[in-house]
Amino acid sequence: MSENCIFCKIAAGTIATQLLYQDELVLAFPDIAPQAPVHVLVIPRRHIVSLELLTEADRAEMGHLLERTAHVARQLGLQAGYRTIINTNAHGGQEVFHLHLHILGGKPIGPMVAR
Ligand code: 5GP
Ligand code: ZN
């Protein structure tokens, strides 16, 4: 738990959020400012600042995060497809420095455009 981290507070339950999925390692909840009809964030409970800091020790947890992301997308009925995004550090446009994976779907998202 990192103080002043909004996602740690959501994981700890101190900020009430609709949880779409949770287990001992990860949770999923709607993005507060959705960019698509379905916009969900999947995060590890553990405070990992960014993808850039991952090491071999994180492999099992990250494998679980990715597999549970597929599970959540399935539960949300996104079998037609969706986009997953991880923004990393300043050049990646990361705004919340607790690792998270975006699921965007509910309509064709279109080609990826780097701006
Ligand atoms: P990033 O740019 O870091 O990849 O994305 C951070 C995301 O977190 C943004 O899409 C933003 O809307 C979302 N976000 C920021 N604060 C909150 C919050 O308090 N609750 C929820 N559910 N989402 C948040
Ligand atoms: Zn955190």
Side-chain angles (χ1 to χ4, degrees):
M1 168 101 188
S2 171
E3 295 203 6
N4 301 322
C5 171
I6 196 96
F7 289 175
C8 279
K9 287 177 181 167
I10 288 172
T14 52
I15 291 179
T17 306
Q18 179 201 1
L19 293 183
L20 301 169
Y21 177 81
Q22 63 171 322
D23 64 25
E24 69 284 6
L25 292 176
V26 308
L27 55 152
F29 51 88
D31 194 290
I32 203 169
Q35 305 295 310
V38 178
H39 187 173
V40 169
L41 302 174
V42 190
I43 71 169
R45 285 187 181 277
R46 195 162 64 91
H47 183 77
I48 299 170
V49 169
S50 93
L51 189 74
E52 202 273 321
L53 293 174
L54 291 188
T55 71
E56 283 185 35
D58 303 314
R59 283 179 178 176
E61 187 181 0
M62 293 300 103
H64 182 72
L65 178 76
L66 197 58
E67 186 278 326
R68 289 290 87 186
T69 296
H71 171 79
V72 168
R74 238 174 263 131
Q75 295 296 112
L76 291 168
L78 298 180
Q79 283 83 348
Y82 50 91
R83 177 164 296 153
T84 44
I85 298 175
I86 299 175
N87 296 322
T88 302
N89 291 352
H91 285 195
Q94 187 174 0
E95 292 180 345
V96 176
F97 285 84
H98 178 133
L99 178 62
H100 55 280
L101 205 153
H102 298 254
I103 300 174
L104 294 157
K107 67 169 188 184
I109 301 298
M112 194 177 76
V113 180
R115 282 173 290 155

